[in-house]
Amino acid sequence: MDPRFTELLAPFLKFLGDEEITAETSLREQGLDSMQAIELLFAIEDTFAVVLPDEAMNDATFATAGSLWNAISAASEAGQEASVR
Amino acid sequence: MNAIASERAVVAGPPEPGRLAGLTDRVAAVAAEHLDRTDRDAVFPVEALDEMRRTGLLGLLVPVEYGGLGGGLRDMIEACVSLGRVDLSVAMIFSMHCQQVAAVVEHGDERLRTELLPRIADGKIYVASVTTEAGKGGHLLTSEAALDTTGDELDVDRFAPIVTGGAHADGFLVTMLAPGATSPHQVSLVYAHRDQLVVEQTGDWQPLGMRASHSVALRLRGRVPEHHVVGGQGDFRAIVTSVFGPMAHLGWSASWLGTAAGALSRVVRMLRSPENRNRVDLGSELLLTRLSQARRRLDTVHALLTQTERTVSRSPDLSLPRIQLQLNALKITAAEECFAVVDGLIEAVGMRHGYLKGSPTRLEHALRDLRSASLNYSNDRLHLADGKLALLDPEVRFV
């Protein structure tokens, strides 16, 4: 996971304490609630210049840091492929 | 994942057509006999619950292999509408019980299912829901009281300000913090049988409406074995998305629709009765317009209810914003429109048959009961969630 991603994620995980964010970190358990999903999404779009597709806006994507990072990576690759074409 | 899709009904086979209607009619008849008293005295409809036990209706959603009726979502909706036509408290009690049963069917440990489901099907166990907690303002997904582990058992110690049917339930599904939780979001759902608990009832129940739902404050203390955790420890959210949320919104909306439909039905019957036909001007444009409004509202809610049931049954992932939005739209719309139906009917028929107790229209009772609809998981809170969800769906796609 990109360090910019974990840095961006940290303020949303108020129960994480001193623990490190890993791919397995549960976003919901560590404090992300559905009301903050939109703020997190804006932060991701601004930092990585990607737009996550509507189909990715589900519980599975927002389950762990790893699942969210995978969705960002997939969206970013899809974006690059589109610009190469 | 959506766990309450109709696959269970496919395995078990839905109850034969007509059979379910016969069973709900029996319960409705008993409810009708007692509703004036249970409303007046704000007491639980014990007789109607006993009939649900006898008819096997408590086991509507229990699969046939566990001795239940093997019904599905649509069967539950139909039963809620039928019961709601007579008494909203009875319909809501039934709908909330079904919600608990579905959670055990879909997420319970096989050992718990084997122990519990046949007894529910047998009418021995009515399950109440303990999700409210003082100090969390109706938030479903957080908890403050924590489970403790002692050996292989879990300690339960929980106060809940509102437990519908709590004084009469044979078992409870309780939300609590998972053992060792580091955040209030790690919520677990546990089943506790009444004889595993010391149940203390506190306070009085004197509400405006829903008086027969007897929703009292309870303190529950006791120990339950570890296999009573429904779903994974800390994984209550998955149960809410797949079962609790959709079942609640569909079951409540169906119950409210039933009550509003029952009110219109009784008003129309009264207007058409031989003794009234000459007294009331059925050509009155104002009366016709008001009847039209009431009927239009009911058809709107019915259409949305039918569509949402279809969405829930067919969608593998209910967490998508457009699906959550439809489920919330159903709840908000049903709550507002069903209340408005009865409010409008009171204007239509006036003081004697609209506002006073004792009229065969029972509009006064229905209005008080339906006033709770917007508060029963607050519409205000759902609007806030919907605003955020709308921002997550910029293409505005529908299901």
Side-chain angles (χ1 to χ4, degrees):
Chain A
M1 291 186 294
D2 191 311
R4 286 177 301 164
F5 172 62
T6 45
E7 202 174 299
L8 156 171
L9 207 48
F12 292 94
L13 308 179
K14 58 180 180 241
F15 299 107
L16 193 66
D18 296 333
E19 271 180 61
E20 207 180 312
I21 296 176
T22 67
E24 283 74 44
T25 301
S26 162
L27 303 183
R28 305 284 183 192
E29 285 184 8
Q30 300 309 327
L32 178 74
D33 70 36
S34 51
M35 301 302 271
Q36 295 168 323
I38 190 75
E39 283 83 1
L40 175 57
L41 207 61
F42 289 163
I44 290 168
E45 291 184 2
D46 292 349
T47 308
F48 298 101
V50 292
V51 178
L52 296 187
D54 286 358
E55 291 308 320
M57 294 296 112
N58 58 9
D59 280 356
T61 298
F62 288 92
T64 61
S67 60
L68 182 56
W69 176 245
N70 287 343
I72 296 168
S73 308
S76 158
E77 277 166 29
Q80 278 165 9
E81 272 173 34
S83 62
V84 167
R85 262 183 237 142
Chain B
M1 281 296 287
N2 169 17
I4 50 165
S6 45
E7 53 190 282
R8 185 173 57 255
V10 175
V11 174
E16 309 119 50
R19 179 169 170 223
L20 176 63
L23 301 180
T24 46
D25 284 352
R26 279 173 56 189
V27 176
V30 173
E33 214 179 301
H34 295 276
L35 64 86
D36 283 339
R37 177 183 53 81
T38 54
D39 176 56
R40 186 189 64 224
D41 299 344
V43 292
F44 193 81
V46 177
E47 297 80 3
L49 176 65
D50 284 346
E51 196 64 14
M52 285 183 214
R53 295 180 192 277
R54 271 193 293 270
T55 52
L57 210 57
L58 281 186
L60 176 64
L61 297 187
V62 173
V64 171
E65 59 266 36
Y66 295 96
L69 294 175
L73 208 46
R74 198 170 306 164
D75 299 312
M76 182 201 72
I77 288 170
E78 274 174 31
C80 288
V81 172
S82 303
L83 296 174
R85 281 173 180 265
V86 175
D87 187 343
L88 185 53
S89 289
V90 170
M92 291 294 269
I93 287 164
F94 175 71
S95 129
M96 289 169 75
H97 166 82
C98 286
Q99 194 186 324
Q100 314 309 306
V101 174
V104 174
V105 169
E106 300 302 339
H107 293 274
D109 185 287
E110 183 50 35
R111 191 170 153 202
L112 179 66
R113 289 154 53 108
T114 311
E115 285 169 9
L116 189 57
L117 295 177
R119 298 177 72 195
I120 293 175
D122 212 19
K124 301 236 165 42
I125 297 184
Y126 155 57
V127 188
S129 161
V130 184
T131 52
T132 59
E133 199 163 1
K136 65 172 195 179
H139 261 298
L140 195 56
L141 293 171
T142 58
S143 187
E144 286 170 358
L147 284 166
D148 275 327
T149 320
T150 323
D152 292 337
E153 296 207 308
L154 297 163
D155 287 333
V156 175
D157 186 348
R158 174 79 149 77
F159 175 77
I162 297 184
V163 182
T164 291
H168 298 269
D170 309 293
F172 303 85
L173 275 182
V174 188
T175 54
M176 292 195 67
L177 273 185
T182 51
S183 98
H185 297 267
Q186 286 162 286
V187 178
S188 298
L189 186 68
V190 287
Y191 174 74
H193 196 67
R194 193 175 197 95
D195 64 18
Q196 291 168 328
L197 296 169
V198 176
V199 181
E200 272 173 82
Q201 191 183 318
T202 55
D204 197 15
W205 172 246
Q206 281 301 342
L208 172 70
M210 298 304 294
R211 292 171 60 80
S213 73
H214 202 251
S215 303
V216 290
L218 290 186
R219 177 150 186 219
L220 308 173
R221 277 174 302 173
R223 276 182 174 191
V224 297
E226 210 164 357
H227 70 275
H228 278 210
V229 175
V230 178
Q233 283 281 19
D235 210 16
F236 178 55
R237 186 192 165 82
I239 301 178
V240 170
T241 308
S242 61
V243 179
F244 263 40
M247 290 287 282
H249 288 198
L250 289 165
W252 297 345
S253 299
S255 303
W256 298 329
L257 176 65
T259 296
L264 177 60
S265 169
R266 292 188 296 273
V267 166
V268 170
R269 280 177 200 285
M270 184 189 75
L271 293 173
R272 287 178 46 159
S273 68
E275 57 271 26
N276 268 297
R277 232 177 280 158
N278 300 325
R279 278 214 302 255
V280 182
D281 175 12
L282 291 184
S284 156
E285 291 187 357
L286 188 55
L287 177 63
L288 291 171
T289 302
R290 282 175 170 157
L291 290 176
S292 155
Q293 293 282 25
R295 180 68 201 221
R296 174 189 61 81
R297 291 182 197 277
L298 291 175
D299 277 313
T300 304
V301 175
H302 181 258
L304 186 52
L305 176 64
T306 307
Q307 175 58 37
T308 310
E309 183 270 316
R310 216 173 286 158
T311 301
V312 169
S313 295
R314 292 177 185 176
S315 310
D317 181 358
L318 299 178
S319 71
L320 286 168
R322 59 180 184 275
I323 293 178
Q324 290 290 312
L325 281 161
Q326 188 174 83
L327 274 160
N328 290 348
L330 168 66
K331 193 271 158 181
I332 293 170
T333 306
E336 288 179 352
E337 295 295 286
C338 294
F339 177 77
V341 165
V342 177
D343 198 34
L345 289 174
I346 289 174
E347 291 290 344
V349 301
M351 186 66 91
R352 181 174 156 216
H353 285 296
Y355 197 71
L356 299 187
K357 280 188 199 292
S359 163
T361 64
R362 298 208 313 269
L363 293 178
E364 175 267 346
H365 183 178
L367 187 85
R368 282 187 289 106
D369 281 356
L370 281 169
R371 185 61 190 83
S372 69
S374 69
L375 308 172
N376 198 15
Y377 207 87
S378 154
N379 278 8
D380 285 346
R381 191 187 285 281
L382 285 177
H383 275 301
L384 293 181
D386 277 1
K388 296 276 184 179
L389 288 165
L391 286 169
L392 289 176
D393 184 28
E395 284 184 39
V396 193
R397 288 191 289 170
F398 300 112
V399 245

